[in-house]
Amino acid sequence: QAEAELAVASLRESELHGRNLFIDAWSHSRGKGSTGGKGKAGGKGGAFSMAHGCGGIVPGCMAAFGGKAGCVKGWKPPLNITGDPEQLVFVGNLPYSVSWQDLKDHMSQAGTVEFSKVMTEDGTDFGRSRGAGVVRYSTSTAAKIAITTLNDTEMKGRKILVD
């Protein structure tokens, strides 16, 4: 775990081919996190807690660093996406031009999308994209199908990461 924390700390603000890398301590584990919740981030109440700051999206940042604020330079309060964590998927490497509607339309190939959000620098729907998003499906089965079938598919010329 110490090696993983060192890797996160040293790589979280790095860039590759002009794009910010998304480095996190999220293992996609379904077990209890460090704060005792059941969510992917180990947070309370099953919310998917995502801190977004200058380095990009850091799923589970609050839980991964003992619940202390300021784990990422430029840290902002976490964006809480509510719902069953089993129904949530993280989507990375999105083209900056992708809107929440584009994301919803693409991800609907796996099932009914209840909610989609493209992360932006200012947290609004109109800010500059951070190249990542979150999708909540109506069922956990649809989320699992999305992870297996939509990972490495193309959106506007870019292969996306679905996890």
Side-chain angles (χ1 to χ4, degrees):
Q1 182 165 341
E3 286 181 48
E5 289 174 4
L6 179 61
V8 169
S10 63
L11 295 173
R12 71 173 165 233
E13 293 181 34
S14 59
E15 218 176 81
L16 180 65
H17 302 293
R19 292 187 57 102
N20 289 339
L21 292 177
F22 298 107
I23 308 298
D24 65 27
W26 183 27
S27 66
H28 209 288
S29 139
R30 300 290 188 203
K32 286 189 175 185
S34 60
T35 58
K38 294 182 191 175
K40 289 180 182 177
K44 296 179 182 175
F48 187 59
S49 179
M50 297 186 79
H52 52 290
C54 64
I57 306 303
V58 184
C61 180
M62 293 293 285
F65 292 88
K68 295 177 183 168
C71 59
V72 175
K73 181 180 175 189
W75 182 85
K76 296 176 185 176
L79 174 67
N80 289 316
I81 309 293
T82 60
D84 182 352
E86 299 289 323
Q87 295 171 248
L88 298 169
V89 296
F90 170 82
V91 185
N93 202 36
L94 291 172
Y96 291 138
S97 62
V98 167
S99 69
W100 69 266
Q101 187 66 56
D102 296 330
L103 180 60
K104 180 178 180 179
D105 292 346
H106 184 80
M107 301 304 287
S108 291
Q109 296 174 65
T112 303
V113 173
E114 293 182 335
F115 174 86
S116 67
K117 174 77 174 172
V118 173
M119 302 301 158
T120 60
E121 287 182 353
D122 63 2
T124 69
D125 287 337
F126 309 104
R128 184 174 183 270
S129 172
R130 302 299 278 165
V134 178
V135 175
R136 182 179 65 222
Y137 284 94
S138 60
T139 66
S140 60
T141 301
K144 289 173 187 166
I145 290 169
I147 291 167
T148 58
T149 63
L150 297 178
N151 189 41
D152 282 333
T153 58
E154 280 197 19
M155 279 192 76
K156 297 187 177 187
R158 291 189 69 90
K159 285 194 175 192
I160 60 170
L161 164 75
V162 181
D163 185 22

